[in-house]
Amino acid sequence: MNRQVITVAMAFVGLVVGAGFASGKEILQYFVGFGVQGMWAVTLALIIFGIAGYAILQLGSFFLASDHNRVLTEVSPPITSRFFDILITITLFSMGFVMIAGGGASLNQQFGIPVWVGSAIITVLVILVGMLDVDRVTTIIGSITPFIVVLIVGAAIWSYTHVDYSFAQLNDMALEIGSTLPNWWVSAANYVALSLAMAVSMSIVMGGQIRDPRVAGRGGMLGGIIYGMLILISSSALFAQIDKVGHSDMPTLMLLTSIHPAFGTVMAFVVFGMIFNTAIGMYYALASRFSKGDPKRFRIWLISMALVGFVISFVGFETFVNYLYPVIGYAGMLLILLLVVHWVRSREDIREEIARRMAIRKLLRRLMRKDKHFHQGHADQLAEAIEQSPVDNSNLQTSSVLEVVDELEDEGLAYDHPTTIDFEEITNVELEEDALDDYEEPETDQVAEEVVQAEETNEARPSAEETNPRKPL
């Protein structure tokens, strides 16, 4: 399986998991409280997560979106997109400072550390990690996911082998706990909508960094399925031990502690990691929304928002959050439905864009490689493909060039550095400013050595006059 697909899947899981799932409280309320019928709710949630994950990340990739508003303005009328933009922005900020407060509370509860210290740690981590590019942030978010997977699976195995009551008795005890939701299918839909509403913005940003919509979609679908399976495992584990954890505020933590206190300590750190994942996802997406692609403005917005969130986290907004959660949940249902419907209707356009980007990539490889001939016909095809794309031409060309540079470097092939190529002359599109700051010219000695090796294998390049891609233009 594509390594990038797995990275994206792990990051998507890290975004939607949240501290509520890690603690187990949400699982009791949304699934276990319905007894046996809760398993139908889990199944429905798994299906929706898989489909929605595929649609959200693929749409982000299709539009090469740098923030959620880029997608919203394409899939809905101005008034509707403005409404969802405001709702998502409020959600990002409010849940951001709630996570900062939650980070302080979790360390205080488990280790007695002052609340402000834990909140300060979360804030500093958000600012430091937020200074990295999206790919590295995605990797960091995804790196925490395997820990929760291992702990949940381990707890489930123990839970299944230490059942003290019959299935019917466990079902009765689960129904006694009950749920605040009217029935299992509304509960499943509300849980998925609430989870995705808080993760949709960062998910779109992650997808926007992936040129291939197939990779983005598969990563989102795999992540949604993995998360659905985690819900299934966690729900059944808590159901099997409902007599012990049914009235706990942190049932998963209690379950692990009952196995061994050390597991409870490890879980406390994992919960803190999940809180950080949610916080960085909130603030990174929020800063991306307001900075509009400007790196300097992004840093200013990220630092400012994180510090404001740190201050507000001490005020206490429990009532505000209690009212906001239902609004996010039900509005989130409409948002996810809107995105999925547009994705279904755009399947043919997405397929065409996938083929178009593959062609652009192949033509750019031919243009940049030193051992390939690039003539006027290739130039016309490249310019036409870039022009026909629904994405901003400069953004598409820049991302494509960066991808090809990485490919050629990984393959060890000699290539003309992008700074030496007049892309505007060839495609009538300039690369974005500062796009190539992280790339250096290939070493002259290395290029010479590669050319010698090519000559020795009877694959020497044609003359410079024949291979100059800019000469015919």
Side-chain angles (χ1 to χ4, degrees):
M1 183 177 290
N2 189 303
R3 182 194 219 170
Q4 193 175 16
V5 170
I6 297 175
T7 300
V8 172
M10 292 296 102
F12 183 72
V13 174
L15 284 175
V16 296
V17 162
F21 170 85
S23 68
K25 189 64 177 177
E26 289 180 355
I27 301 302
L28 277 183
Q29 178 182 354
Y30 285 93
F31 302 103
V32 180
F34 290 99
V36 177
Q37 287 188 330
M39 294 301 103
W40 291 110
V42 172
T43 304
L44 178 60
L46 188 155
I47 294 171
I48 298 176
F49 270 122
I51 296 173
Y54 197 110
I56 292 170
L57 271 86
Q58 189 164 78
L59 286 175
S61 175
F62 176 71
F63 292 111
L64 294 179
S66 59
D67 64 78
H68 63 257
N69 203 43
R70 173 73 178 88
V71 173
L72 291 178
T73 54
E74 294 287 346
V75 305
S76 61
I79 295 179
T80 305
S81 64
R82 185 60 178 163
F83 167 75
F84 282 120
D85 179 34
I86 293 174
L87 177 70
I88 292 175
T89 301
I90 293 174
T91 300
L92 293 175
F93 181 69
S94 59
M95 295 312 301
F97 70 70
V98 167
M99 289 303 108
I100 289 178
S106 67
L107 292 184
N108 174 264
Q109 176 179 336
Q110 191 68 21
F111 306 107
I113 298 174
V115 173
W116 73 269
V117 173
S119 297
I121 292 174
I122 285 281
T123 304
V124 171
L125 287 174
V126 165
I127 293 174
L128 292 178
V129 174
M131 294 297 139
L132 304 175
D133 59 42
V134 178
D135 290 337
R136 292 177 181 174
V137 172
T138 300
T139 301
I140 290 173
I141 292 175
S143 66
I144 301 175
T145 301
F147 293 99
I148 188 68
V149 172
V150 171
L151 285 172
I152 293 295
V153 171
I157 293 173
W158 184 91
S159 179
Y160 300 152
T161 57
H162 292 76
V163 180
D164 297 327
Y165 293 90
S166 67
F167 186 86
Q169 290 173 316
L170 292 173
N171 186 56
D172 291 338
M173 285 185 274
L175 292 175
E176 287 179 7
I177 295 173
S179 174
T180 57
L181 283 303
N183 54 62
W184 64 266
W185 64 268
V186 171
S187 182
N190 190 272
Y191 180 77
V192 173
L194 182 62
S195 299
L196 291 178
M198 292 188 286
V200 66
S201 185
M202 188 61 189
S203 297
I204 288 174
V205 172
M206 286 195 312
Q209 299 304 306
I210 304 170
R211 270 192 72 258
D212 190 342
R214 294 173 302 176
V215 172
R218 291 166 185 169
M221 182 175 65
L222 178 61
I225 293 173
I226 291 174
Y227 187 45
M229 293 301 298
L230 283 177
I231 295 174
L232 175 62
I233 295 170
S234 180
S235 298
S236 57
L238 295 179
F239 179 83
Q241 301 294 322
I242 192 67
D243 56 305
K244 301 182 181 66
V245 303
H247 298 285
S248 172
D249 290 330
M250 302 189 75
T252 303
L253 183 61
M254 174 176 283
L255 178 60
L256 285 164
T257 303
S258 65
I259 300 173
H260 193 282
F263 290 141
T265 302
V266 173
M267 188 62 181
F269 282 109
V270 171
V271 170
F272 186 80
M274 293 295 101
I275 292 174
F276 163 73
N277 271 0
T278 305
I280 185 62
M282 300 295 105
Y283 284 111
Y284 199 99
L286 193 64
S288 297
R289 169 66 184 90
F290 289 113
S291 63
K292 299 184 183 300
D294 187 327
K296 293 181 180 179
R297 291 181 62 189
F298 175 85
R299 296 186 187 97
I300 294 173
W301 275 106
L302 178 71
I303 295 172
S304 301
M305 290 291 188
L307 292 178
V308 170
F310 174 72
V311 174
I312 296 180
S313 68
F314 294 99
V315 177
F317 281 76
E318 291 83 1
T319 302
F320 173 70
V321 172
N322 288 338
Y323 280 107
L324 183 65
Y325 254 64
V327 175
I328 295 173
Y330 289 109
M333 290 182 190
L334 298 177
L335 174 60
I336 303 308
L337 181 62
L338 174 70
L339 293 173
V340 171
V341 168
H342 182 84
W343 170 72
V344 171
R345 291 177 175 175
S346 304
R347 292 296 299 144
E348 187 59 35
D349 292 336
I350 293 174
R351 277 193 289 268
E352 291 178 0
E353 182 65 7
I354 289 172
R356 188 180 296 118
R357 291 184 190 179
M358 290 177 65
I360 291 172
R361 172 179 153 274
K362 290 180 180 178
L363 288 166
L364 284 173
R365 284 179 63 93
R366 175 175 285 274
L367 169 61
M368 295 171 63
R369 283 181 60 173
K370 289 181 176 292
D371 60 343
K372 295 291 184 180
H373 181 54
F374 187 86
H375 53 69
Q376 185 63 50
H378 293 136
D380 293 341
Q381 292 174 23
L382 180 57
E384 182 181 5
I386 292 176
E387 179 62 30
Q388 288 179 347
S389 175
V391 180
D392 175 74
N393 292 353
S394 179
N395 188 11
L396 174 60
Q397 178 161 292
T398 300
S399 64
S400 301
V401 168
L402 296 181
E403 181 186 41
V404 170
V405 169
D406 287 336
E407 285 182 3
L408 295 176
E409 288 187 347
D410 290 342
E411 295 169 14
L413 296 175
Y415 65 92
D416 288 318
H417 194 266
T419 56
T420 67
I421 301 174
D422 190 349
F423 286 98
E424 187 175 14
E425 181 184 358
I426 298 172
T427 64
N428 199 32
V429 179
E430 284 187 290
L431 294 186
E432 293 180 344
E433 187 178 357
D434 302 328
L436 302 170
D437 286 350
D438 295 334
Y439 292 89
E440 299 179 355
E441 293 276 5
E443 294 292 337
T444 304
D445 293 342
Q446 178 186 353
V447 173
E449 181 181 345
E450 291 170 348
V451 173
V452 170
Q453 291 176 352
E455 290 174 346
E456 291 176 350
T457 57
N458 296 321
E459 294 179 359
R461 294 190 303 146
S463 65
E465 183 176 355
E466 294 175 348
T467 58
N468 187 347
R470 284 145 307 277
K471 184 176 179 59
L473 305 174

